[in-house]
Amino acid sequence: MACCRGLNLDTEVREDVRRRLLSVKGHVEGVLRMLETDQVYCVDVLKQLKAVGGALGKVGDQVLQSHLKNHVVTAHERGDEDLIVSELMEILKYR
Amino acid sequence: MACCRGLNLDTEVREDVRRRLLSVKGHVEGVLRMLETDQVYCVDVLKQLKAVGGALGKVGDQVLQSHLKNHVVTAHERGDEDLIVSELMEILKYR
Amino acid sequence: MACCRGLNLDTEVREDVRRRLLSVKGHVEGVLRMLETDQVYCVDVLKQLKAVGGALGKVGDQVLQSHLKNHVVTAHERGDEDLIVSELMEILKYR
Amino acid sequence: MACCRGLNLDTEVREDVRRRLLSVKGHVEGVLRMLETDQVYCVDVLKQLKAVGGALGKVGDQVLQSHLKNHVVTAHERGDEDLIVSELMEILKYR
C-alpha cells in the first residue's frame, strides 16, 4: 500500500488543501441551492460548474507540486522510481 | 438577465443534476476526511480529485445537452442566437 | 451522410481555419526539427507540444462557433435537432 | 539554459516521438485537404481536430514519462529540484 511507504502529504500543504476543498464544497452547495428553484438558467449552472472545476484543478496543482517536491525528485534515491513514475503517469496522462 | 428570458433548466434534468451533484459533494467530503489524518498519500488525494473532476464533468454534460436541446437549437426562431452563441462559446472555448 | 445535408463550413471561416492550421503544421514541423538533434530538452519539447495543442484548440473554437451560429441554432427549424445535438455532444462531452 | 544541463530526451523515446509527430503532421495535412473543398461539414472537421489533439496528447505523454523517469526522479541527487519542479508545474498546472 502506498500509505505504508510513509510518503505523506506535507502537513502545511494538507491544511491549505483542506481549506481550498472546503471552499469547493461550499461552492457545490451553492450550485445545489441554485438547482432548488425552477427558474435556473442552464448557462448560469454551466458557469458555476466550470468555476468549481477550476478550483478543483487548483487544489490538484497544490497536491501535485507537493508530491513532486517531496517525493518524486527523491524517488531514485529511495529506489521506488518505477512505481512513482507509473502511478504519476496514471494521473497525468492525456485522458 | 439570462434568468428573465425563461430559458430554465428542464425539471427532470435539474433533478438528475441535483442528485449527481449531491454525490459530488459527498465525494468532496470524503476527500476532506482523508485530509484529516496525517498519513495520507499525495497520489491517493490526486486520484480522488481526478474522480471528483470527472463526476463534475459528467454533471456539466447533462446540463449542456439539455441546454443544446431545449434552448440552442431553437435560438434562431426566438431571435436570441447571437447571445446564445456568445455565452456558450464563453463556456466551451479552449481555455 | 452529414456531408449531404449541405451544412458546410462557412467559406470565410474555412479560409481562416486553413490559415491557422497551416501555422499549426509549421509549428509541428518546428518540433520535428527540434527532435533531429540529440541535444533536446524534454521540457522544451513539452512546452512546444502544449503550444501546438493550444493553437489546435483555437482552431476548434473557430469551427465550433461557426457550427453553432450557422447550423445549431437553426436545427429545430430544419428538424434535425436530435442528430445535431447528439453529434455535438459526442465532440463536447467530458472525455 | 536548460539545454546546457545535459538533460536530453532519451534517444529511443526521441525516435518514437518523431514517428508519432510525423503521423500528427500527416493528420493535420489531411484536415487541410478536407478544407480545400467547399463541401466540408463542421462536425467532420471538429472530429478530426479532436483526433489530432488526442494524438498530440499521447506524444506529450511519451515525453513526460521519459522526463519523469530520466530527469525528475534524480533531481534531488543532481540538486536542481527547485528548477525541475517549477518548470514541470508550468506545463502541468491546471490552465
Side-chain angles (χ1 to χ4, degrees):
Chain A
M1 272 295 288
C3 64
C4 308
R5 289 191 283 138
L7 303 176
N8 300 319
L9 183 57
D10 175 85
T11 311
E12 210 171 310
V13 176
R14 191 158 56 88
E15 260 321 295
D16 182 45
V17 165
R18 275 196 75 215
R19 254 193 315 274
R20 285 169 183 262
L21 214 51
L22 273 169
S23 151
V24 167
K25 185 189 153 189
H27 205 151
V28 170
E29 289 167 341
V31 186
L32 279 164
R33 277 192 299 276
M34 279 176 75
L35 293 167
E36 277 165 22
T37 74
D38 56 7
Q39 300 228 332
V40 58
Y41 181 43
C42 307
V43 172
D44 292 334
V45 179
L46 287 171
K47 276 181 193 164
Q48 294 306 316
L49 292 176
K50 193 175 176 174
V52 174
L56 209 56
K58 278 176 184 167
V59 176
D61 284 354
Q62 293 295 104
V63 181
L64 176 60
Q65 182 166 34
S66 179
H67 183 52
L68 288 171
K69 199 175 141 191
N70 295 315
H71 308 139
V72 182
V73 299
T74 47
H76 184 256
E77 288 160 73
R78 268 195 322 278
D80 62 359
E81 69 259 42
D82 286 352
L83 179 54
I84 282 281
V85 171
S86 74
E87 66 189 11
L88 199 50
M89 282 308 299
E90 200 53 45
I91 286 157
L92 297 176
K93 72 176 178 205
Y94 186 83
R95 277 141 225 206
Chain B
M1 274 295 288
C3 65
C4 308
R5 288 192 284 138
L7 302 177
N8 299 319
L9 183 56
D10 176 86
T11 311
E12 210 171 312
V13 176
R14 191 158 55 88
E15 260 321 295
D16 182 45
V17 165
R18 276 196 74 216
R19 251 192 318 271
R20 284 167 183 264
L21 215 51
L22 274 170
S23 151
V24 167
K25 186 189 154 191
H27 205 151
V28 170
E29 288 167 341
V31 186
L32 280 163
R33 275 191 301 275
M34 279 175 74
L35 293 167
E36 278 165 22
T37 74
D38 57 7
Q39 300 227 332
V40 59
Y41 182 43
C42 307
V43 173
D44 292 335
V45 179
L46 287 171
K47 275 182 195 165
Q48 294 307 316
L49 292 175
K50 192 174 178 176
V52 175
L56 209 56
K58 279 179 186 167
V59 176
D61 284 354
Q62 292 295 105
V63 180
L64 176 59
Q65 181 167 35
S66 178
H67 183 53
L68 287 171
K69 198 175 141 191
N70 295 316
H71 307 141
V72 182
V73 299
T74 46
H76 184 257
E77 287 160 73
R78 268 195 322 279
D80 61 0
E81 70 260 40
D82 286 351
L83 179 54
I84 282 280
V85 171
S86 73
E87 65 188 12
L88 198 51
M89 282 309 297
E90 200 52 46
I91 286 158
L92 297 177
K93 74 176 176 206
Y94 187 82
R95 280 144 223 205
Chain C
M1 272 297 288
C3 65
C4 309
R5 288 192 282 139
L7 302 177
N8 300 318
L9 183 56
D10 176 86
T11 311
E12 211 171 308
V13 176
R14 191 157 56 87
E15 259 322 294
D16 182 46
V17 166
R18 276 197 75 216
R19 253 192 316 274
R20 284 167 183 264
L21 214 50
L22 274 169
S23 150
V24 167
K25 185 190 155 189
H27 206 151
V28 170
E29 289 167 342
V31 186
L32 280 164
R33 277 192 300 276
M34 280 176 74
L35 293 167
E36 279 165 20
T37 75
D38 57 7
Q39 300 229 331
V40 59
Y41 182 41
C42 307
V43 173
D44 292 334
V45 179
L46 288 171
K47 275 182 195 164
Q48 294 306 315
L49 292 176
K50 193 174 177 176
V52 175
L56 209 57
K58 279 178 185 167
V59 176
D61 284 353
Q62 291 296 103
V63 180
L64 176 60
Q65 182 167 33
S66 177
H67 183 52
L68 287 172
K69 198 174 141 191
N70 295 315
H71 308 138
V72 182
V73 298
T74 47
H76 184 254
E77 287 161 73
R78 267 195 323 281
D80 61 0
E81 69 261 40
D82 287 351
L83 179 54
I84 282 281
V85 171
S86 73
E87 65 189 12
L88 198 51
M89 283 308 298
E90 199 52 45
I91 286 157
L92 298 177
K93 73 176 175 207
Y94 186 84
R95 278 145 223 204
Chain D
M1 272 294 288
C3 64
C4 308
R5 290 192 283 139
L7 302 177
N8 301 318
L9 183 57
D10 175 85
T11 311
E12 210 171 309
V13 176
R14 189 156 57 86
E15 260 321 296
D16 182 44
V17 165
R18 276 197 76 216
R19 254 193 317 273
R20 284 168 184 264
L21 214 50
L22 273 170
S23 150
V24 166
K25 185 189 155 190
H27 206 151
V28 170
E29 289 167 341
V31 186
L32 280 163
R33 276 192 300 277
M34 279 176 75
L35 292 167
E36 278 165 21
T37 75
D38 56 7
Q39 300 228 331
V40 58
Y41 182 43
C42 306
V43 173
D44 292 334
V45 179
L46 288 171
K47 275 182 195 165
Q48 293 306 316
L49 293 175
K50 192 175 178 174
V52 174
L56 209 56
K58 278 179 185 167
V59 176
D61 284 352
Q62 293 294 105
V63 181
L64 176 60
Q65 182 167 34
S66 179
H67 184 53
L68 288 171
K69 199 174 140 190
N70 295 314
H71 308 140
V72 182
V73 298
T74 47
H76 184 256
E77 287 159 75
R78 269 195 321 279
D80 62 358
E81 69 260 40
D82 286 352
L83 179 54
I84 282 281
V85 170
S86 73
E87 65 189 13
L88 198 52
M89 283 309 298
E90 199 52 45
I91 286 157
L92 297 178
K93 74 178 176 204
Y94 187 84
R95 280 143 219 205

